[in-house]
């Protein structure tokens, strides 16, 4: 059985307040996009996990969220022996949710392979234990995410017809450090309200609170965003805490970003 875990982009990301437990309350819009990994499970004599593609250096396979998702289900359910193959195409450290998507799709894949008959609500509860944004990829539809990024409200948002460019410079941004650089504040207008406006008006609307401080420390990220706008992007922003930047275009353009991961696709 084969599936294709997809990435997400953040449309705006507001850091509202720091909680007593050290986490931060946020407000952001998650939007699924068709940049995908490939995940396959096939019957085997013994369970094994095989990784290829864009990989984190020096990270053991058992630390991968796909393997952790399998082990999570094994605590409660009997699973058949499977050979699991994950081909990574979504870059890591990009703010695109690739690892979370892989984990959520693994839960869905095992649910089907082992005929567990778990509902989406049950799968979301399991995914929550693997990561705050993992449950998003169970239903995989645009949502307003609040709390620590783990409370979801569906939103009526479609970017169909836009061409999406995703560009990730060869830099890594520590999420922990990125939070330490931001001064939390509550905006006067919610992202849900801003996102209801035409995309052409978003340039001065949905804001990513991480951008200013991250771009100050990593100017290449700001340079990528500037180039996207210079080429006619209707909206461009950093996703998550970086380091990827995306641009939405209503026309075809040709661009080059030497030394960067680049992906281009039509949204439907």
């Amino acid at each position: 059985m084969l599936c294709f875990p997809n990435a997400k982009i953040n449309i705006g990301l507001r850091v509202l307040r720091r909680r007593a437990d050290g986490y931060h309350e946020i407000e952001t819009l998650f939007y699924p996009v068709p940049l995908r990994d490939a995940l396959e499970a096939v019957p085997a004599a013994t369970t094994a996990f095989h990784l290829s593609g864009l990989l984190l250096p020096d990270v053991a396979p058992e630390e991968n969220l796909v393997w952790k998702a399998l082990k999570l289900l094994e605590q409660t359910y009997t699973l058949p022996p499977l050979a699991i193959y994950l081909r990574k195409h979504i870059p890591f450290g990009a703010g695109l949710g690739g690892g979370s998507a892989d984990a959520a799709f693994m839960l869905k894949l095992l649910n089907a392979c082992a005929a567990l008959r778990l509902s989406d609500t049950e799968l979301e509860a399991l995914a929550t234990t693997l990561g705050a944004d993992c449950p998003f990829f169970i239903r995989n539809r645009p949502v307003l995410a609040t709390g620590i990024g783990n409370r979801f409200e569906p939103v009526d948002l479609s970017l169909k017809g836009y061409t999406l460019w995703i560009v990730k410079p060869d830099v890594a941004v520590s999420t922990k450090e990125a939070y330490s650089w931001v001064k939390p504040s509550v905006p006067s207008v919610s992202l849900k309200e801003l996102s209801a406006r035409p995309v052409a008006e978003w340039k001065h609307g949905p804001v990513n609170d991480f951008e200013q401080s991250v771009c100050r420390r990593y100017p290449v990220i700001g340079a990528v965003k500037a180039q996207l706008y210079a080429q006619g992007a209707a909206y461009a922003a950093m996703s998550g805490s970086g380091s990827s930047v995306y641009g939405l275009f209503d026309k075809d353009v040709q661009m080059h970003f030497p030394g960067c991961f680049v992906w281009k696709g039509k949204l439907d």
Side-chain angles (χ1 to χ4, degrees):
M1 190 173 289
L2 178 65
C3 65
F4 298 92
N6 59 273
K8 59 83 182 163
I9 54 173
N10 293 78
I11 300 171
L13 201 170
R14 306 311 304 261
V15 182
L16 307 180
R17 62 188 64 86
R18 181 180 172 87
R19 304 185 345 169
D21 61 7
Y23 288 95
H24 290 79
E25 295 277 340
I26 68 168
E27 179 188 61
T28 187
L29 284 162
F30 289 153
Y31 195 92
V33 297
L35 166 59
R36 300 181 176 99
D37 291 336
L39 179 63
E40 185 176 21
V42 297
T46 58
T47 295
F49 182 37
H50 308 276
L51 277 163
S52 61
L54 298 175
L55 303 177
L56 277 167
D58 304 320
V59 175
E62 56 268 23
E63 292 302 311
N64 190 282
L65 285 175
V66 164
W67 185 252
K68 290 184 177 182
L70 184 148
K71 291 300 177 183
L72 177 64
L73 282 182
E74 280 187 340
Q75 293 174 16
T76 306
Y77 304 97
T78 300
L79 304 178
L82 297 166
I84 308 298
Y85 297 89
L86 175 62
R87 176 74 177 178
K88 289 294 299 175
H89 183 53
I90 303 170
F92 52 85
L96 299 171
S100 295
D102 295 336
F105 273 74
M106 184 61 175
L107 292 176
K108 293 191 283 188
L109 193 65
L110 293 172
N111 189 38
C113 287
L116 301 179
R117 300 174 184 264
L118 295 169
S119 67
D120 283 350
T121 300
E122 290 172 311
L123 289 170
E124 285 174 333
L126 288 164
T128 298
T129 69
L130 297 170
D133 60 351
C134 283
F136 162 73
F137 294 99
I138 298 297
R139 300 179 197 262
N140 214 20
R141 62 190 182 190
V143 298
L144 176 70
T146 55
I148 59 171
N150 62 339
R151 295 201 302 264
F152 307 130
E153 176 189 343
V155 293
D156 184 18
L157 174 62
S158 174
L159 299 176
K160 182 178 181 179
Y162 282 96
T163 297
L164 174 70
W165 282 73
I166 294 176
V167 182
K168 180 190 178 296
D170 188 21
V171 296
V173 180
S174 162
T175 300
K176 183 178 180 180
E177 286 189 343
Y179 270 106
S180 73
W181 300 331
V182 172
K183 183 179 180 180
S185 64
V186 179
S188 58
V189 182
S190 74
L191 280 175
K192 186 176 181 180
E193 181 180 339
L194 290 171
S195 67
R197 299 174 182 174
V199 173
E201 298 179 10
W202 285 8
K203 185 172 183 179
H204 303 292
V207 171
N208 183 332
D209 282 345
F210 290 114
E211 267 190 29
Q212 186 175 14
S213 54
V214 168
C215 290
R216 187 164 58 247
R217 290 165 174 83
Y218 301 94
V220 64
I221 297 175
V224 168
K225 180 180 176 180
Q227 185 173 344
L228 291 170
Y229 270 130
Q231 293 296 319
Y235 178 68
M238 191 173 74
S239 190
S241 59
S243 59
S244 71
V245 181
Y246 66 87
L248 296 170
F249 291 82
D250 56 12
K251 61 182 180 180
D252 190 38
V253 296
Q254 298 298 320
M255 293 179 286
H256 300 282
F257 296 91
C260 298
F261 170 93
V262 179
W263 181 89
K264 172 188 174 184
K266 198 85 168 180
L267 298 179
D268 53 30

